[in-house]
Amino acid sequence: MSTETMVQQFPLFINGKWTPVESGETFDIINPATSEVSAKVSKASEKEVELAVQNARSTFESGVWSNKTPEERAQVLMQFSKKIIEHAQEIVYLEAISSGGTLRKLAGADIQQLVLCLQQTVKQALEYKYVETLPVVTALGPSRNQLIREPLGVVAAITPWNFPLVLAMWKIAPALMMGNSIIVKPASNTPLGTLKLAELAVEAGLPPGVFNVITGPGSTVGEALVTHKEVDKVAFTGSTEVGRSIMKQASGTVKKVTLELGGKAPAIVLPDADLEVTIPGILFGVFFHSGQVCESGTRLLVHDSIYEEVIAKLAEMTKKIKVGNPMDLATGMGPVVSKQQMDTILSYIESGISEGARLVCGGKRAAGPGLDQGYYIEPTIFADVQNDMKIAQEEIFGPVLSVIRYSTEEEAIRIANDTIYGLSAGIWSRDVVKANKLAAKIKAGTIWINDWHMFRMDAPFGGYKQSGVGRELGRNALDEYTEVKHVHTALTNENDQRAGLKLIF
Ligand code: NAD
């Protein structure tokens, strides 16, 4: 069998079944660990967007899912979570051959997050106030006032390549649980796992047409979804640049949008930090998943008094991170997602050198047995970075840490907030009272104290400033996937008791 024939082909998933595209066009999925073609995926056009939207809309209007009770929906979603566990191995494989995520990350964190996200969303949705009766206001006359939560309709979810499944699930779980239909457009590098999820959801009992996946370029398929008049909401995770464009495009039909965008998180090391905890914590905060995490701690602000000591210890400990094939359990850092991403990261490293930052370690493609064909980059640390340098202001989305010196807490806070982003931040200190006081001064949606990358499925996640609009996860996410309707019922037949009539009679 030739390699070509072994490559799995993936059509679209529309209305509960695998759906080929009319043009027959496909695009290649490249394994970042080897640069080989690992799968072929259908390239949708606007025609298929139309088909997916019409199916999602008619399914929504039919009430087959939108009229189900929360308990009935919960049963299907719990079944869906079981299917994910049963198919975990295949899901991990599909993610690995497209995203380059390590086995340790995919099997050790992502699968659990998918299951926990579904289970936690179900739990919160069962406690959710779908109908709330407001306290009586006598000025309105005898009446009852209720707030009723209803599904929005058709949701388009547009997702990035770094955590393809986890970030899709943050949208799929609340959208489905609240009764919406959803169309997911995954990033072109990483659609395989999301396609599999849609198939598993239908096997779990989700009616056809409720969860659809279409694959293809953001510039055509994504735009067609964002501007479609039958799409009620766009839930987007990706770069701030594309987020801005989505916000503009969505304005034509005044769609609801939630945007989870970029970050350039500051990690502040106070002079009293316990370096035994802080050094590995900083490295996990920035090098996990080869730095391709929106909330990574990429700007490290270190106090004068411990500056050189921290840099030396970081460089020493970085040597312990094994860069290698993601399928090897010994690997701590796999490849970056694509050649394009690798080139972008390398050009940022060049820019750091030319702007005068001091390269402490890394700085080039990683070499070694089995690495030559993949997109591997050495974990890279720059010291003596000024906060106005490009490497401190722009999101690199790769394994590059910028270390900045500060001498007072006021200066640290000023530098921490001197960014267009506000997704996350961190503080390393033995004094948690002081750390909490500083946390209050940082403009960011999530703050970690003596930790990093810790998510709870019941705590909202999202950005201040240009890191986003709205929140995912937790109870806030359920609100984001509903409309609220106020129903006022007059509870009298006596006209002289109606507050409004005397205004004109
Ligand atoms: P990207 O913005 O390039 O693409 C994201 C998605 O948008 C993809 O599916 C892409 O096909 C689609 N897209 C591109 N152009 C479009 C257009 N004109 N209209 C509609 N859709 C379009 O982002 P990426 O490179 O896939 O992911 C990396 C970025 O995502 C980083 O900036 C990172 O910070 C961000 N991110 C943010 C979060 C968060 O929660 N805040 C999480 C992960 C990643």
Side-chain angles (χ1 to χ4, degrees):
M1 203 191 279
S2 73
T3 326
E4 184 69 14
T5 53
M6 283 165 61
V7 167
Q8 208 179 339
Q9 306 249 355
F10 290 80
L12 313 180
F13 197 86
I14 299 177
N15 205 24
K17 52 182 185 294
W18 295 106
T19 308
V21 288
E22 213 177 272
S23 68
E25 275 190 77
T26 60
F27 58 95
D28 291 342
I29 304 302
I30 306 293
N31 183 343
T34 61
S35 72
E36 284 167 354
V37 175
S38 55
K40 284 183 180 289
V41 176
S42 287
K43 187 175 179 183
S45 70
E46 274 137 42
K47 237 182 210 157
E48 282 85 25
V49 171
E50 195 55 41
L51 182 71
V53 174
Q54 292 314 333
N55 271 295
R57 169 59 59 193
S58 59
T59 307
F60 178 76
E61 299 300 341
S62 76
V64 64
W65 181 249
S66 51
N67 287 348
K68 284 215 178 334
T69 63
E71 289 75 14
E72 287 169 328
R73 289 185 205 134
Q75 267 184 4
V76 175
L77 294 199
M78 292 306 280
Q79 193 57 30
F80 183 21
S81 75
K82 284 189 197 144
K83 287 269 166 199
I84 290 172
I85 297 167
E86 282 165 27
H87 292 262
Q89 207 171 341
E90 184 184 356
I91 295 169
V92 165
Y93 173 75
L94 292 173
E95 285 285 274
I97 62 168
S98 50
S99 75
T102 60
L103 207 51
R104 278 160 84 179
K105 163 189 172 283
L106 295 169
D110 290 12
I111 292 286
Q112 282 91 328
Q113 266 222 34
L114 297 181
V115 171
L116 282 176
C117 181
L118 276 167
Q119 293 179 350
Q120 189 60 236
T121 305
V122 162
K123 180 172 179 284
Q124 294 200 320
L126 291 177
E127 293 162 357
Y128 192 73
K129 280 193 180 169
Y130 293 88
V131 179
E132 189 182 349
T133 303
L134 297 178
V136 169
V137 174
T138 49
L140 298 181
S143 61
R144 186 185 65 191
N145 292 267
Q146 290 186 306
L147 303 184
I148 299 170
R149 288 282 176 174
E150 297 177 351
L152 290 164
V154 176
V155 173
I158 300 180
T159 54
W161 45 254
N162 60 336
F163 284 77
L165 287 184
V166 168
L167 296 172
M169 188 57 88
W170 289 9
K171 300 160 183 58
I172 295 163
L176 296 184
M177 192 58 219
M178 302 316 272
N180 302 279
S181 294
I182 189 165
I183 302 164
V184 185
K185 208 265 345 137
S188 298
N189 317 46
T190 53
L192 307 182
T194 310
L195 286 160
K196 184 68 197 173
L197 277 192
E199 186 186 43
L200 293 179
V202 170
E203 281 178 19
L206 191 73
V210 180
F211 176 6
N212 311 277
V213 182
I214 53 173
T215 49
S219 54
T220 53
V221 173
E223 280 202 36
L225 280 171
V226 176
T227 52
H228 201 294
K229 64 179 183 348
E230 293 290 345
V231 171
D232 300 288
K233 175 193 167 95
V234 178
F236 173 78
T237 299
S239 59
T240 294
E241 193 186 347
V242 175
R244 280 191 202 104
S245 139
I246 285 187
M247 211 169 177
K248 268 192 212 139
Q249 294 169 48
S251 71
T253 44
V254 195
K255 286 191 201 330
K256 314 258 171 306
V257 288
T258 39
L259 304 174
E260 297 290 351
L261 308 176
K264 195 75 199 175
I268 303 176
V269 185
L270 297 182
D272 71 346
D274 177 352
L275 295 188
E276 290 294 313
V277 172
T278 303
I279 299 295
I282 291 167
L283 296 177
F284 171 58
V286 68
F287 293 139
F288 174 55
H289 196 30
S290 306
Q292 302 168 114
V293 191
C294 52
E295 40 72 359
S296 291
T298 48
R299 286 186 301 144
L300 185 69
L301 278 51
V302 184
H303 190 263
D304 248 350
S305 60
I306 50 170
Y307 185 75
E308 289 302 341
E309 183 188 1
V310 166
I311 289 168
K313 287 189 164 152
L314 287 172
E316 189 54 35
M317 193 154 202
T318 298
K319 291 183 195 152
K320 293 193 180 158
I321 301 173
K322 186 178 178 304
V323 179
N325 190 300
M327 302 306 273
D328 181 348
L329 272 176
T331 294
M333 223 179 84
V336 297
V337 74
S338 62
K339 176 165 190 315
Q340 188 191 356
Q341 187 61 16
M342 180 178 72
D343 292 343
T344 304
I345 297 164
L346 292 173
S347 77
Y348 272 112
I349 292 173
E350 282 305 310
S351 136
I353 293 168
S354 67
E355 280 194 284
R358 168 165 51 114
L359 185 63
V360 176
C361 64
K364 51 186 192 305
R365 270 185 92 157
L371 301 188
D372 299 353
Q373 299 306 312
Y375 312 128
Y376 297 91
I377 296 189
E378 294 174 343
T380 297
I381 300 178
F382 278 111
D384 305 344
V385 175
Q386 300 297 318
N387 198 49
D388 59 358
M389 288 180 183
K390 206 168 146 183
I391 53 168
Q393 284 296 317
E394 296 184 16
E395 190 182 40
I396 300 174
F397 229 55
V400 183
L401 177 67
S402 295
V403 188
I404 300 170
R405 186 193 285 264
Y406 76 88
S407 48
T408 63
E409 272 168 29
E410 293 67 35
E411 189 188 7
I413 295 296
R414 185 183 53 70
I415 297 171
N417 286 329
D418 180 14
T419 164
I420 62 165
Y421 297 113
L423 194 56
S424 62
I427 298 158
W428 297 93
S429 171
R430 283 193 173 91
D431 183 346
V432 292
V433 175
K434 181 188 272 187
N436 274 276
K437 277 188 183 157
L438 289 185
K441 295 181 181 168
I442 299 176
K443 294 185 168 66
T446 299
I447 313 255
W448 286 291
I449 294 171
N450 295 330
D451 221 330
W452 215 279
H453 296 310
M454 291 298 110
F455 281 87
R456 288 179 60 117
M457 295 298 103
D458 54 357
F461 179 72
Y464 280 40
K465 301 196 272 183
Q466 295 187 35
S467 286
V469 175
R471 291 290 183 272
E472 295 194 293
L473 301 177
R475 223 159 290 145
N476 304 58
L478 303 183
D479 293 345
E480 303 271 13
Y481 288 89
T482 54
E483 285 281 13
V484 61
K485 182 179 277 173
H486 169 206
V487 178
H488 167 100
T489 309
L491 295 179
T492 175
N493 294 324
E494 307 297 326
N495 281 343
D496 63 354
Q497 291 186 345
R498 289 173 196 266
L501 298 187
K502 60 177 168 290
L503 298 177
I504 64 159
F505 294 112

